[in-house]
């Protein structure tokens, strides 16, 4: 899912660190525990506020792609550079008929 700049800045764990491949955020299990291999500070902060617009958007994205929240192990933000395309089609010159 593509994020706004404001949403991008909210992709942090509860300890305030950005979530990325080197230090992903995690979601608490149904029993409230942090998954094995993660520390308490790595819990994805927006998941702790179930009414936050970012968390609602993430849940909508999961539903769109057929995932359940309990199937998600970690969350990372991936920087992708997007450039606008001015013209997607370039007409070719007419071909001479023999």
């Amino acid at each position: 899912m593509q994020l706004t700049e404001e949403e991008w800045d909210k992709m942090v764990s509860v300890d305030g660190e950005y979530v990325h491949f080197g230090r992903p955020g995690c979601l608490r299990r149904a029993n409230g525990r942090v998954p094995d291999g993660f520390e308490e500070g790595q819990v994805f902060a927006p998941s702790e506020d179930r009414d936050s617009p970012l968390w609602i958007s993430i849940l909508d994205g999961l539903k769109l792609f057929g995932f359940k929240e309990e199937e998600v192990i970690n969350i990372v933000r991936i920087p992708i550079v997007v450039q606008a395309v001015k013209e997607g089609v370039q007409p070719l010159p007419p071909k001479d008929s023999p």
Side-chain angles (χ1 to χ4, degrees):
M1 122 182 178
Q2 188 169 349
L3 304 174
T4 65
E5 189 172 336
E6 181 182 338
E7 291 170 329
W8 175 261
D9 290 335
K10 293 179 180 177
M11 294 289 293
V12 296
S13 53
V14 293
D15 64 7
E17 296 290 323
Y18 287 115
V19 295
H20 53 81
F21 284 114
R23 190 170 185 277
C26 66
L27 302 180
R28 292 185 189 279
R29 299 285 183 214
N31 62 9
R33 298 185 67 189
V34 175
D36 291 340
F38 290 92
E39 299 172 7
E40 187 69 31
Q42 286 180 268
V43 173
F44 184 59
S47 71
E48 298 287 275
D49 178 7
R50 298 292 174 152
D51 295 325
S52 75
L54 178 56
W55 183 245
I56 292 169
S57 292
I58 290 171
L59 289 178
D60 287 345
L62 291 174
K63 288 177 193 170
L64 178 67
F65 291 103
F67 290 98
K68 296 177 182 165
E69 181 182 340
E70 55 270 11
E71 296 173 325
V72 177
I73 297 170
N74 62 52
I75 294 179
V76 297
R77 63 184 206 162
I78 304 169
I80 299 174
V81 177
V82 179
Q83 289 184 306
V85 176
K86 290 184 181 180
E87 188 172 327
V89 177
Q90 181 178 9
L92 297 173
K95 183 177 178 183
D96 292 339
S97 299

